[in-house]
Amino acid sequence: MTTTSRPRLQTAFKAALARELGQTPGVPPTKEAVFRAAAQACRELLADRWVATQAADNQRGATGARRVHYLSMEFLMGRALGNALAALGLDKLMQEQLEPLGLELSDVLEREPDAALGNGGLGRLAACFLDSFAELGLPSFGYGLRYQYGMFAQGIEGGRQVESPDDWMKLGAPWEVIRRERRYPVRFGGRVVSESSTMGSVGGRRWIGGEVVMAQAYDFIVPAHHSERVSTLRQWQAEASSPIDFSAFCRGEYLEAARHRVLADALNWVLYPDDSTEAGRELRLKQEAFLVSASLQDLVARHQREFGNLDDLGRLNAIHLNDTHPALAPAELMRILVDEHAYTWEQAWTITRQAVSYTNHTLMPEALETWPVRMFEQLLPRHLEIIYEINHHFLEAVARAVPGDTELLRRVSIIDEGSPHTGYERRVRMAALSIVASHRVNGVAQLHSDLCVQTIFADYARLYPERFHNVTNGVTPRRWLQQANPGLSGLLDGHIGKGWRKNLAELAKLGKKAGDAGLQKEFLAVKRANKERLAALIRKQLGPVVNPDSLFDIQIKRIHEYKRQLLNILHVIARYQAIVASPDRAPDGKAWVPRTVIIAGKAASAYHMAKLIIQLAHDVARVVNSDPRVGGKLKLVFLPNYGVSLAETIIPAADLSEQISTAGTEASGTGNMKFAMNGALTIGTWDGANIEMAQAMGEENMFVFGLRAEDVQRIKDLGYDPRLYQEENHQLKAVVHAIADGSFSGGDAERYRAIVDNLTYRDGYLLMADFADYVAKQLEVDALYRKKAAWAERALRNVAGMGWFSSDRTIAEYVERVWSAESLG
Ligand SMILES: *Cc1c(COP(=O)(O)O)cnc(C)c1O
């Protein structure tokens, strides 16, 4: 393939560069211009593959293969050029093109802004899945929104997080392919009228009036690495359906003339507008409805083009809901089938249930999405009618199956009737809608799937046990090993061959060699080089010099109480106090193992406690890092603006991976997988996918600590009192006291009162209960780290054990258990 793509890339790159330089011939191109030219050249080659892939998929009707439509409000793609060049097999050629310009490929790759169209794990999972869709040759579309500013860029001022718009497209969007012919109207508001001429049991309803916004498709093409297949991320841009209001314009009222344009535009501004306000919540619901309506209109139009009618739509298409954010999809599909295509309710429902499946991502009841019925009445009146109808049929079926249990009906209803303390405001339960409308529901790690069935979804699981499954998450080895860690990739190629890039299970071959002293040395040299690279980044961004010989102890993820960055900080404080008290000897009598603790992550803009934790990290870092008594034995670094690219630099440099969520709270985690795959050892709780990782690599190769999910539940049931733990543990008491008395806040005892009070009186995530075991495990970490060969052997066993955690395996399981024709029963 490269024989024809080589000259094509060269020609396309030269032409694109000439276009970029059009205005100023003779001036050497900037790295940004070179990046855009390289991206455009790749895009041309990918566009050919896209056409070939679509042509092949359109023949699939004969085989009955289903096309998967993955609906997600988030796709955390990161950078694309390095991945595209590697997939096309053209990275060396591009390097040659850059030589006459005096540029290194790595410099050009770094000019690409991250496409940060997601919050964290859920969005990155969707991005890994697109890579695997392409790799596995699955007929598929990813559907998302084309956010102009992603989430937000995180800056730190005076130790505090400040948010600013992440203007990632300001220098252009060279990857996008606009599809002018894929453009659909989406309605909000208005009213529903009866229309006697239409058929159907609840048909005869027509939704009219309100405001209509156009959805315009933009495609982003994701290449496979071992074939010429691609997958597509189709992202919707809202555009006003009419030009300016001419009469307002003529009156000189320019703002009024453009009002509807701004309102349409706002749909695409940012992900998760601050939902602490009513306006923010309404915008979020509109975004969800917009994504769903545009995507389903597109799917229906495509199916109609291919097959001439919609009868087999459910058999030939899977519609997957990545969490409940696109849970309006079944209601929208019912609307299209019944109102616009005159299917009966029963026919439409059969098609819908065949198509729809749903992945749950969180067990926390407060995180389960609900929307006020009132908001539906205003924005989505027809969908509300349809949801009522779905609920009516569902509750009737439940009442038939379990007669006389009105309490059950109340619990499982899609409509929450409210309670005295919610003022009886009725709300739509999006998870209930998703479950009722799906033929498959899955969790994302075994423990999480088990807990779904035992706790939040217990009623539904008793009614429909066959619906509930587990599909454990995975990550793409192309980005998270091959691209992020060329050093380790080269080492693997040399020792076990290159097959792991396509079939990650081949990593297991490394297990037999983990005891090999030569391999261990090579591994440690690779790790050391990666740590130097990260140390250089820290120095460039923040100034402090960190020692690459120290143990790099890393926690990077969204800042959230359940993920317990605070527990990590408590350990840093405990260690700081212990070093000051005994500078020459650690508790085991040996010299301290020097440590660099690195934290990165964003806090949601309205999440006060998470922001306070970021501030505490900075305050503790300032005190610890400047205390001469510490003498290089401990450093704390907070790296701002966490994202995919930063993760790609940080993860390969980790010695220790912090995966310390309260047991039973982290659905799966995927950061945990990336670290272990790159030869970091994990200190972690028995939670999420940590459990399956430990089982895969051998529990003795992970530092497991803390309460298990069933202990957490038991302790909470008995009435948890965090004060008891503080009273009986002097070290813990001293740590909390130091935060309380202003030791890290220049004597200001108020600054962290919310944290101290929480740790003392509530501690909902049981930091106090897990502290002692955590600190003890950290000493075991030190002890092993002193023995370089033993550490390297364990790290290699971690890598060897991670073969199962490829998103290729995950997607193969989705195909088998969730999306296959067989799963329809
Ligand atoms: C993998 C990844 C995550 C998820 O990390 P967890 O530790 O599983 O929460 C979040 N953000 C980015 C940028 C990632 O790459």
Side-chain angles (χ1 to χ4, degrees):
M1 76 187 146
T2 44
T3 48
T4 54
S5 16
R6 283 178 64 93
R8 283 217 47 208
L9 184 85
Q10 276 167 307
T11 316
F13 177 64
K14 290 212 170 87
L17 196 57
R19 283 198 300 276
E20 285 289 334
L21 300 177
Q23 279 90 7
T24 48
V27 176
T30 62
K31 288 172 188 163
E32 281 80 7
V34 173
F35 153 68
R36 284 195 299 275
Q40 286 162 33
C42 287
R43 188 187 66 189
E44 284 183 31
L45 270 64
L46 295 178
D48 294 348
R49 293 188 177 192
W50 189 85
V51 171
T53 299
Q54 297 312 314
D57 289 355
N58 290 346
Q59 302 305 315
R60 81 194 198 292
T63 65
R66 305 180 90 204
R67 190 185 254 131
V68 173
H69 304 78
Y70 196 82
L71 272 56
S72 178
M73 284 289 279
E74 305 184 22
F75 286 89
L76 201 49
M77 302 297 287
R79 291 177 178 143
L81 181 58
N83 182 57
L85 287 170
L88 292 163
L90 295 173
D91 26 12
K92 291 216 175 57
L93 177 72
M94 182 52 76
Q95 178 69 63
E96 287 161 29
Q97 301 298 300
L98 298 180
E99 261 156 37
L101 301 169
L103 292 173
E104 285 291 326
L105 180 56
S106 57
D107 292 336
V108 172
L109 297 183
E110 278 183 17
R111 302 326 278 191
E112 179 171 7
D114 267 39
L117 311 185
N119 271 293
L122 173 152
R124 184 53 230 177
L125 184 77
C128 284
F129 282 4
L130 290 174
D131 186 273
S132 291
F133 288 167
E135 194 72 4
L136 272 65
L138 188 71
S140 63
F141 274 86
Y143 279 112
L145 289 185
R146 181 176 180 266
Y147 301 103
Q148 193 129 30
Y149 306 116
M151 191 172 51
F152 61 81
Q154 179 193 52
I156 301 291
E157 281 173 21
R160 288 182 220 221
Q161 169 175 303
V162 286
E163 302 101 28
S164 59
D166 173 17
D167 197 1
W168 70 288
M169 289 194 283
K170 66 170 176 275
L171 294 175
W175 294 108
E176 281 181 353
V177 184
I178 184 167
R179 305 286 182 197
R180 300 261 178 225
E181 67 289 5
R182 303 284 172 255
R183 203 175 148 78
Y184 306 94
V186 176
R187 187 183 304 276
F188 295 106
R191 61 209 161 84
V192 185
V193 295
S194 284
E195 205 178 48
S196 51
S197 61
T198 333
M199 302 177 299
S201 56
V202 279
R205 303 289 281 163
R206 207 154 67 89
W207 183 20
I208 57 167
E211 127 198 52
V212 173
V213 176
M214 298 307 294
Q216 170 64 56
Y218 286 78
D219 284 357
F220 178 89
I221 303 171
V222 180
H225 282 246
H226 298 95
S227 77
E228 300 206 1
R229 295 275 314 187
V230 299
S231 68
T232 312
L233 171 57
R234 180 157 287 181
Q235 294 181 304
W236 300 107
Q237 170 73 44
E239 291 174 0
S241 55
S242 60
I244 53 167
D245 176 342
F246 203 70
S247 56
F249 175 80
C250 290
R251 292 193 302 273
E253 294 164 9
Y254 305 137
L255 294 180
E256 188 53 33
R259 214 175 88 87
H260 64 295
R261 298 178 73 112
V262 176
L263 289 177
D265 226 33
L267 275 172
N268 283 93
W269 279 342
V270 286
L271 168 68
Y272 276 23
D274 191 333
D275 68 359
S276 58
T277 66
E278 173 85 359
R281 282 192 292 271
E282 182 177 311
L283 184 54
R284 169 77 183 183
L285 181 59
K286 281 177 92 169
Q287 286 182 324
E288 294 181 358
F290 181 72
L291 164 69
V292 160
S293 178
S295 306
L296 287 193
Q297 290 185 65
D298 194 44
L299 181 164
V300 167
R302 183 182 310 112
H303 190 89
Q304 185 90 38
R305 275 198 308 278
E306 278 185 68
F307 299 97
N309 64 66
L310 304 179
D311 295 351
D312 276 338
L313 186 144
R315 210 168 49 74
L316 292 172
N317 297 280
I319 299 170
H320 196 82
L321 314 179
N322 192 26
D323 214 318
T324 58
H325 314 144
L328 283 166
E332 173 70 357
L333 185 55
M334 291 298 287
R335 187 190 68 76
I336 294 173
L337 293 171
V338 173
D339 294 1
E340 295 182 0
H341 293 270
Y343 281 88
T344 66
W345 181 268
E346 287 69 27
Q347 289 167 331
W349 185 241
T350 302
I351 292 172
T352 298
R353 285 231 21 249
Q354 282 182 327
V356 176
S357 50
Y358 152 60
T359 297
N360 171 275
H361 287 271
T362 176
L363 290 162
M364 275 176 269
E366 69 272 20
L368 291 178
E369 201 183 8
T370 64
W371 292 102
V373 162
R374 168 180 50 79
M375 230 179 242
F376 267 79
E377 285 165 349
Q378 284 157 17
L379 289 175
L380 303 161
R382 180 62 183 134
H383 294 83
L384 184 61
E385 285 186 353
I386 291 171
I387 290 168
Y388 282 152
E389 187 74 15
I390 292 172
N391 199 35
H392 172 73
H393 287 271
F394 164 61
L395 292 180
E396 264 187 3
V398 176
R400 274 196 305 275
V402 189
D405 192 343
T406 50
E407 193 46 32
L408 175 67
L409 295 181
R410 192 189 57 75
R411 288 200 307 270
V412 298
S413 171
I414 298 171
I415 305 298
D416 180 352
E417 301 292 339
S419 66
H421 66 250
T422 59
Y424 294 103
E425 176 170 61
R426 302 171 74 228
R427 301 180 76 92
V428 182
R429 294 169 169 153
M430 304 307 264
L433 175 59
S434 304
I435 294 169
V436 170
S438 293
H439 69 283
R440 285 284 185 271
V441 176
N442 73 283
V444 289
Q446 192 62 54
L447 174 69
H448 168 237
S449 298
D450 291 345
L451 291 174
C452 273
V453 163
Q454 289 160 21
T455 64
I456 50 172
F457 298 153
D459 287 323
Y460 304 100
R462 271 192 294 273
L463 290 164
Y464 307 115
E466 74 295 341
R467 239 173 250 194
F468 291 83
H469 291 257
N470 173 60
V471 185
T472 300
N473 284 167
V475 301
T476 168
R478 270 76 61 188
R479 180 169 299 256
W480 294 111
L481 194 45
Q482 172 178 303
Q483 176 174 317
N485 201 342
L488 183 57
S489 299
L491 181 151
L492 291 171
D493 290 347
H495 288 270
I496 61 170
K498 291 190 170 194
W500 60 269
R501 293 161 194 259
K502 187 167 162 57
N503 176 15
L504 198 66
E506 293 192 13
L507 288 181
K509 293 184 193 166
L510 204 63
K512 288 195 264 323
K513 307 183 177 199
D516 178 312
L519 175 59
Q520 292 167 2
K521 281 219 175 64
E522 274 182 69
F523 170 81
L524 292 173
V526 166
K527 186 61 81 181
R528 164 81 202 203
N530 292 339
K531 288 167 76 174
E532 276 168 18
R533 184 168 63 140
L534 177 56
L537 178 99
I538 291 171
R539 190 174 157 75
K540 190 163 140 229
Q541 285 204 356
L542 300 172
V545 177
V546 302
N547 172 12
D549 286 323
S550 63
L551 186 161
F552 278 19
D553 169 351
I554 305 188
Q555 186 175 29
I556 50 174
K557 48 183 78 233
R558 291 302 305 275
I559 309 291
H560 201 292
E561 287 164 277
Y562 85 80
K563 291 176 182 280
R564 300 202 296 191
Q565 282 91 356
L566 186 53
L567 181 60
N568 188 353
I569 297 170
L570 297 183
H571 167 247
V572 171
I573 297 173
R575 181 170 285 247
Y576 167 61
Q577 293 176 338
I579 290 172
V580 168
S582 168
D584 300 325
R585 276 169 213 272
D588 62 2
K590 304 212 171 93
W592 286 99
V593 173
R595 251 196 216 228
T596 303
V597 177
I598 298 168
I599 300 177
K602 294 178 182 177
S605 58
Y607 190 173
H608 176 69
M609 188 55 102
K611 289 177 139 176
L612 202 57
I613 291 169
I614 292 178
Q615 194 178 2
L616 178 63
H618 282 88
D619 272 342
V620 171
R622 191 174 31 73
V623 170
V624 170
N625 298 353
S626 65
D627 190 329
R629 295 171 296 177
V630 173
K633 298 182 193 79
L634 182 60
K635 273 217 161 67
L636 175 58
V637 176
F638 187 98
L639 272 167
N641 208 23
Y642 179 53
V644 173
S645 295
L646 195 56
E648 286 176 45
T649 307
I650 295 176
I651 290 170
D655 294 308
L656 188 66
S657 156
E658 298 271 354
Q659 307 299 337
I660 59 178
S661 51
T662 315
T665 63
E666 185 73 89
S668 161
T670 48
N672 47 4
M673 300 170 189
K674 300 167 197 165
F675 277 102
M677 211 172 264
N678 281 279
L681 301 193
T682 299
I683 183 162
T685 45
W686 203 244
D687 199 19
N690 295 354
I691 299 172
E692 285 151 88
M693 285 166 51
Q695 288 162 345
M697 69 177 69
E699 230 182 284
E700 68 284 3
N701 293 310
M702 194 184 278
F703 296 100
V704 179
F705 75 96
L707 297 169
R708 308 229 161 174
E710 58 274 20
D711 305 325
V712 169
Q713 198 50 55
R714 192 171 36 77
I715 288 183
K716 284 188 164 177
D717 291 346
L718 289 172
Y720 173 59
D721 185 356
R723 278 172 303 185
L724 300 181
Y725 296 89
Q726 292 188 23
E727 277 159 26
E728 75 188 19
N729 183 333
H730 293 300
Q731 192 178 24
L732 176 55
K733 197 173 189 170
V735 168
V736 176
H737 196 255
I739 301 173
D741 74 5
S743 296
F744 302 104
S745 43
D748 178 358
E750 282 307 303
R751 189 176 301 170
Y752 297 114
R753 180 182 291 272
I755 288 181
V756 172
D757 282 355
N758 187 34
L759 288 180
T760 308
Y761 302 110
R762 283 179 298 277
D763 192 24
Y765 295 103
L766 283 76
L767 281 70
M768 300 296 95
D770 274 346
F771 176 83
D773 200 16
Y774 179 54
V775 171
K777 268 297 159 202
Q778 291 285 13
L779 292 175
E780 284 181 33
V781 170
D782 291 338
L784 186 69
Y785 196 73
R786 291 197 187 95
K787 299 181 260 177
K788 291 288 164 232
W791 182 277
E793 176 169 351
R794 277 238 211 146
L796 288 164
R797 291 199 190 286
N798 270 249
V799 179
M802 290 305 292
W804 195 70
F805 296 89
S806 165
S807 48
D808 298 345
R809 186 272 313 155
T810 307
I811 291 306
E813 288 189 1
Y814 271 102
V815 169
E816 186 189 303
R817 294 182 201 161
V818 182
W819 299 330
S820 70
E822 290 72 45
S823 73
L824 301 181

Coordinates of all heavy atoms in Angstrom, one line a residue, residues 639-667:
L639 N 0.9 19.0 37.7 CA 1.0 19.4 36.3 C -0.3 19.9 35.7 O -1.3 19.2 35.8 CB 1.5 18.3 35.4 CG 3.0 18.1 35.3 CD1 3.3 16.7 34.7 CD2 3.6 19.2 34.5
P640 N -0.4 21.2 35.3 CA -1.7 21.7 34.9 C -2.2 21.2 33.5 O -1.4 20.7 32.7 CB -1.5 23.2 34.8 CG 0.0 23.4 34.9 CD 0.7 22.2 35.3
N641 N -3.5 21.4 33.3 CA -4.1 21.1 32.0 C -4.0 19.7 31.5 O -3.5 19.4 30.4 CB -3.6 22.1 31.0 CG -4.7 22.4 29.9 OD1 -5.9 22.2 30.2 ND2 -4.3 22.8 28.7
Y642 N -4.3 18.7 32.4 CA -4.3 17.3 32.0 C -5.1 17.0 30.8 O -6.2 17.5 30.6 CB -4.8 16.5 33.2 CG -4.8 15.0 32.9 CD1 -3.6 14.4 32.5 CD2 -5.9 14.3 33.1 CE1 -3.7 13.0 32.2 CE2 -6.0 12.9 32.9 CZ -4.8 12.3 32.4 OH -4.8 11.0 32.1
G643 N -4.5 16.2 29.9 CA -5.2 15.8 28.7 C -4.5 14.6 28.1 O -3.6 14.1 28.7
V644 N -5.0 14.2 26.9 CA -4.5 13.0 26.3 C -3.0 13.1 26.0 O -2.2 12.2 26.4 CB -5.2 12.7 25.0 CG1 -4.6 11.5 24.3 CG2 -6.7 12.3 25.4
S645 N -2.5 14.2 25.5 CA -1.1 14.3 25.1 C -0.2 14.4 26.3 O 0.9 13.7 26.3 CB -0.9 15.6 24.3 OG -1.5 15.5 23.1
L646 N -0.7 15.1 27.3 CA 0.1 15.1 28.6 C 0.2 13.6 29.1 O 1.2 13.2 29.6 CB -0.5 16.0 29.6 CG 0.3 16.4 30.8 CD1 1.6 17.1 30.3 CD2 -0.5 17.4 31.7
A647 N -0.9 12.9 29.1 CA -1.0 11.5 29.6 C 0.0 10.7 28.8 O 0.7 9.8 29.4 CB -2.4 11.0 29.5
E648 N 0.2 10.9 27.5 CA 1.1 10.1 26.7 C 2.5 10.4 27.1 O 3.4 9.5 26.9 CB 0.9 10.5 25.2 CG -0.4 9.9 24.6 CD -0.6 10.3 23.2 OE1 0.4 10.3 22.4 OE2 -1.7 10.7 22.8
T649 N 2.8 11.5 27.6 CA 4.2 11.8 28.1 C 4.4 11.3 29.6 O 5.5 10.8 29.9 CB 4.5 13.3 28.1 OG1 4.3 13.8 26.8 CG2 6.0 13.6 28.4
I650 N 3.4 11.4 30.4 CA 3.5 11.1 31.8 C 3.5 9.6 32.0 O 4.4 9.1 32.8 CB 2.3 11.7 32.6 CG1 2.4 13.3 32.6 CG2 2.4 11.2 34.0 CD1 1.3 14.0 33.3
I651 N 2.6 8.9 31.4 CA 2.4 7.5 31.8 C 3.6 6.6 31.5 O 4.0 5.8 32.4 CB 1.1 6.9 31.0 CG1 -0.1 7.6 31.6 CG2 1.1 5.4 31.1 CD1 -1.4 7.3 30.9
P652 N 4.3 6.7 30.4 CA 5.5 5.9 30.2 C 6.6 6.1 31.2 O 7.5 5.3 31.4 CB 6.0 6.3 28.8 CG 4.8 6.8 28.1 CD 4.0 7.5 29.2
A653 N 6.5 7.3 31.9 CA 7.6 7.6 32.9 C 7.2 7.2 34.3 O 8.0 7.5 35.2 CB 7.8 9.2 32.9
A654 N 6.1 6.6 34.5 CA 5.7 6.2 35.9 C 6.3 5.0 36.4 O 6.5 4.0 35.7 CB 4.1 6.0 35.9
D655 N 6.8 5.0 37.7 CA 7.2 3.8 38.4 C 6.0 3.3 39.1 O 5.7 2.0 39.1 CB 8.3 4.1 39.4 CG 9.6 4.6 38.7 OD1 10.0 3.8 37.8 OD2 10.1 5.6 39.1
L656 N 5.2 4.2 39.7 CA 4.1 3.7 40.5 C 2.8 4.4 40.0 O 2.8 5.6 39.8 CB 4.3 4.1 42.0 CG 3.3 3.6 43.0 CD1 3.4 2.1 43.1 CD2 3.6 4.2 44.4
S657 N 1.7 3.7 39.9 CA 0.4 4.2 39.4 C -0.5 4.1 40.6 O -0.7 3.1 41.2 CB 0.0 3.2 38.3 OG -1.4 3.3 38.1
E658 N -1.1 5.3 40.8 CA -2.1 5.4 42.0 C -3.5 5.2 41.5 O -4.0 6.0 40.7 CB -2.0 6.8 42.6 CG -0.6 7.2 43.2 CD -0.4 6.8 44.6 OE1 -1.4 6.3 45.2 OE2 0.7 6.9 45.2
Q659 N -4.1 4.1 41.9 CA -5.5 3.8 41.5 C -6.3 3.4 42.8 O -6.5 2.3 43.1 CB -5.5 2.6 40.6 CG -4.6 2.8 39.4 CD -5.0 4.0 38.5 OE1 -6.1 4.4 38.5 NE2 -4.0 4.5 37.7
I660 N -6.6 4.5 43.6 CA -6.9 4.4 45.0 C -8.3 4.8 45.3 O -8.6 5.2 46.5 CB -5.9 5.2 45.8 CG1 -5.9 6.7 45.4 CG2 -4.4 4.6 45.6 CD1 -4.9 7.5 46.3
S661 N -9.2 4.6 44.4 CA -10.6 5.0 44.6 C -11.2 4.1 45.8 O -10.7 3.0 46.0 CB -11.4 4.7 43.4 OG -11.1 3.4 42.9
T662 N -12.2 4.6 46.4 CA -12.9 3.8 47.4 C -13.5 2.6 46.7 O -14.2 2.7 45.7 CB -14.1 4.6 48.0 OG1 -13.6 5.9 48.3 CG2 -14.6 4.0 49.3
A663 N -13.3 1.4 47.3 CA -13.8 0.2 46.6 C -15.3 0.3 46.4 O -16.1 0.7 47.3 CB -13.5 -1.0 47.5
G664 N -15.7 0.0 45.2 CA -17.1 0.0 44.8 C -17.5 1.3 44.1 O -18.7 1.5 43.8
T665 N -16.5 2.2 43.9 CA -16.9 3.5 43.3 C -16.4 3.7 41.9 O -17.0 4.4 41.1 CB -16.4 4.7 44.1 OG1 -15.0 4.7 44.2 CG2 -17.0 4.7 45.5
E666 N -15.2 3.2 41.6 CA -14.7 3.4 40.2 C -15.2 2.3 39.3 O -14.9 1.1 39.5 CB -13.1 3.3 40.3 CG -12.4 3.7 38.9 CD -12.5 5.1 38.6 OE1 -11.6 5.9 39.0 OE2 -13.5 5.5 37.9
A667 N -16.0 2.7 38.3 CA -16.7 1.6 37.5 C -15.6 0.7 36.9 O -15.7 -0.5 37.1 CB -17.5 2.3 36.4

